[in-house]
Amino acid sequence: MSNIDPTEVFRQEAADLIETLEQALLDLETRPDDRELVGLAFRALHTLKGSGAMFGFTAVSEFIHEFETAFDRVRKGEAAVDGRLIAAALDARDHVSRLIDDPDYDPERGQAILGALKIAVSGEAKASQVSEPLGTSSQPAPATSEAAAGWRIRFKLATDALTLGSNPLLLLDEMRGLGPCEIVADASAVPPLEEIEPQHSYLAWDVTLKGPVEREAVDDVFLFVRDDMELTIEPLAGDDDVGPAPVAAVQAPLPAPPKAETTSTAEQQETGPVAAEPRAAAAQPAATTKAERNATLRVPAERLDELMDRVGELVIAQARLSQLAETIHDPSLVNVAEEIERLTSSLRDTTMGTRMVPFGSLFGRFRRLVRDLSEDLGKPIDFVTEGEDTELDKTVIEQLADPLVHIIRNSIDHGLERPDTRAELGKNPAGTLRLSAKHRGAEVAIAIRDDGAGLNAERIRRRAEEAGLISAGQSVADGELYRMIFQPGFSTATQVTALSGRGVGMDVVKRTIDGLRGSIDIDTVSGQGTTVTLRLPLTLAIIDGLLVRVGADRYTIPLAAVEECVELPEGIDAEARGRSFINLRGELVPFLKLRSLFGAENEPDRFQKVVVVSSENTRVGLVVDQIIGNNQTVIKQLSSLHSGLKTFSGATILGDGTVALILDVMHLVGFGQKIEERRRAETLEKAA
């Protein structure tokens, strides 16, 4: 028995529709003449209204009905899209979101928003807008294709329509709202009483709708149920003997064909060559939309997490089987182990793919944030996004929203200058904020870049000294100084505002990124802007790893970070402390000796190996005693007692049951560089 809460299903679907509505409205602000965007926003509203009524969200449905009525004037070309309309529509969108959570939320506020919407669409229609219907070209269309003297409509819902929440009485009420109706119920398909299923739909309805009603308005009545019902719509011939319109009839057979091409062919056979072409054009988008809708299955995140855990355990068991097969040397067992390894690898990749989410799913919500901050602060902003298709683990995506909000707010409030100041400096009065994401080896780099004034190092230093973070006159590298802004309670704002000044927010960013095993880099140029780069691991579950041995211990290096493996040339002291360089095809590559960093005590191997990895924009070699081979690595989180070991991102269980630590290449390289700098400083002090 299913325990899915229908209201929760509605809330999830409503969230997607509200997001679609918001993006359409934001796009309309820059492209007010785009009729497709108008249609997209209207369809989102219409779907929300119908779904709200179906699931018992009456307040939502009633509010959206008024919202939709106002926006329908835009769709019909009777009102123009301008800033006032977009602002009112966005307020209405926010009110719908609140009504879903609380049906009794501030009804007076809702009425005020609807009043603002009505005022925004009350202007006179432009002749060009009235004459050009939605979705058509600039060529005039025949009047009979848009409206007729009336319509003759016959429909019969699918047998299970009542079980799924459809109500034919609501459809009839909507048609009555379009004009005078004559409605006749056809009970010819009702079976004998003893055979009736109470939840099945048997009636068909014949409706004569009179008056100059547009065909599109009739189609909208059946928007939610059209694919699964029998439906015929024909123009009604009036006293002036209106002939058949170019779109003579539409029938949605039950069940609907899965492909648009099949639907078009069937309709050509039923209606003849004259009506086939326009009807095929109308049927194809609907069929395509249904195919796309059916191609997606909504699954609770908890199930994906559980599936990921099971795959991880399978990977560990497969590694044990492979090692056992190598030990026994049974050809049959080796073949089975190899086949299971292949299937496990495929299953792992497929499961990982279900967890990966495009970063563009976050971009939409930031557009609204930037727009609102731009209006509140009086700073015109060009918001540019790049790398929308870059994929990241859903766990990471979910936790990134708040940190990015804080960084974007800081960039706009502190970084970007006011328009008059920018003009005096010879800059474009409109500031630019760029949000980008790209893959770099085994990590994803997310950059937030503005072209503002840059960080004020002197002010940061002064506040850091006042807070006791550094002593007066202490020598601090610029990078370390800029990272002071992530300290709890740290702020350079001269006064407290609604956006900044209390020193909370950026420390949240630091804690969240540290929790995701990531890092933060800050690059700033005075007068030119600041770039904050977040570097995060691609996944938190399973990776391909390169197993190496250092001394008596084994470690795993993420394979995505590995570029090549070479032998350490003779003549280089393998036990030399610190960092040295190796010549790779004419390029000097620094390398770190892991034996020295990890304090290995036994004798080093005679022929040591160098694993060249990419970290940020540099290449670094890691010297190891032996390269054992690559394997699928299931990441197990370290305990809270070891959370401070930033050089390790976790641990994994090997095929023989032992544990190998997973190296965090990015932190390891930084750790090695700090050790080298400290040793150099000690050497200089001794020399002095």
Side-chain angles (χ1 to χ4, degrees), residues 46-197:
H46 200 74
T47 306
L48 266 173
K49 183 183 75 171
S51 299
M54 182 186 303
F55 287 95
F57 287 78
T58 307
V60 173
S61 181
E62 291 176 351
F63 180 84
I64 294 179
H65 177 73
E66 299 297 330
F67 186 0
E68 180 187 40
T69 301
F71 209 79
D72 190 40
R73 291 177 57 85
V74 179
R75 187 178 65 135
K76 294 177 179 178
E78 298 173 0
V81 176
D82 55 19
R84 182 176 58 174
L85 172 64
I86 296 298
L90 287 173
D91 285 343
R93 172 258 178 232
D94 294 341
H95 193 72
V96 169
S97 183
R98 295 187 182 100
L99 283 177
I100 292 175
D101 295 329
D102 180 10
D104 298 324
Y105 176 78
D106 200 352
E108 294 183 0
R109 171 65 176 163
Q111 290 302 316
I113 292 173
L114 293 177
L117 269 174
K118 292 177 181 178
I119 293 175
V121 299
S122 61
E124 294 295 326
K126 296 180 181 179
S128 60
Q129 291 174 319
V130 176
S131 62
E132 183 176 342
L134 177 64
T136 63
S137 65
S138 58
Q139 299 297 326
T144 53
S145 66
E146 295 301 320
W151 301 93
R152 183 176 292 108
I153 305 157
R154 179 178 175 82
F155 72 92
K156 183 178 185 299
L157 296 177
T159 304
D160 59 351
L162 299 179
T163 305
L164 297 177
S166 298
N167 188 341
L169 299 182
L170 295 178
L171 302 178
L172 296 174
D173 286 341
E174 282 200 60
M175 282 187 282
R176 289 191 184 97
L178 298 177
C181 290
E182 295 179 1
I183 302 173
V184 178
D186 180 0
S188 59
V190 177
L193 182 60
E194 61 273 10
E195 298 178 11
I196 288 181
E197 293 289 341

Side-chain angles (χ1 to χ4, degrees), residues 424-443:
E424 293 174 0
L425 296 172
K427 294 183 177 182
N428 187 332
T432 299
L433 184 67
R434 190 179 301 271
L435 176 61
S436 62
K438 64 173 63 174
H439 287 129
R440 290 182 180 175
E443 62 189 27

